[in-house]
Amino acid sequence: MTLLRRALAALGIAGLVAAVLRLRGSGGVPPQQGGWRELSGPDLR
């Protein structure tokens, strides 16, 4: 019975941590430069 209680407590804590991280989110701003650019001339080699 104790093992079951510990397992349920661990699952509950893990779920709580996951919920907090999901609600908080990563925030971050996407990069403003870089990415794809069109190639021409000698860049195509």
Side-chain angles (χ1 to χ4, degrees):
M1 198 65 188
T2 304
L3 180 65
L4 182 62
R5 258 190 228 142
R6 283 187 184 174
L8 287 175
L11 285 175
I13 291 171
L16 186 63
V17 169
V20 167
L21 289 177
R22 187 168 177 96
L23 287 176
R24 204 182 93 201
S26 60
V29 177
Q32 299 299 316
Q33 60 190 104
W36 293 95
R37 64 182 181 93
E38 209 164 315
L39 298 179
S40 61
D43 291 336
L44 291 173
R45 290 184 212 171

